[in-house]
Amino acid sequence: MASSTRDGSPHDDEIRLWREDSWWVAEDVESGVTTQGESREAALANLDEAVALHNDEVGREPTDEELREMGIDPADNATGEQEPPDVLE
């Protein structure tokens, strides 16, 4: 595997990109987030989005109106004083 440093030592913000069969695989070394794409550009774009999601840099809670449009009544689906399940944190 190629390295971006002369001595091969790891550094901040390192990513790895390799080919597996017909897919390009991209990995953010620090977080361990890994994605794939049919091209190098697609794999890297997917990695950018996946790392942002992993770091809670994108996304938001749906509005009550959006919930209603999906057939969910916000009043019946509140956590109240309870802590949300671990999977939602």
Side-chain angles (χ1 to χ4, degrees), residues 10-11 15 18 23 35 40 42 47 50-51 54 65 73-74 86-87:
H11 49 82
I15 62 168
W18 68 93
W23 291 92
T35 63
R40 292 169 19 158
L47 184 63
V51 169
H54 176 79
E65 181 60 31
D73 182 355
D86 291 342
V87 71

Side-chain angles (χ1 to χ4, degrees), residues 16-50:
R16 294 184 180 151
L17 181 67
W18 68 93
R19 192 165 179 102
E20 286 187 10
D21 299 321
S22 62
W23 291 92
W24 283 93
V25 180
E27 175 190 19
D28 177 73
V29 175
E30 182 180 347
S31 67
V33 172
T34 304
T35 63
Q36 63 185 17
E38 292 182 352
S39 67
R40 292 169 19 158
E41 293 81 7
L44 291 169
N46 291 341
L47 184 63
D48 283 343
E49 182 179 356

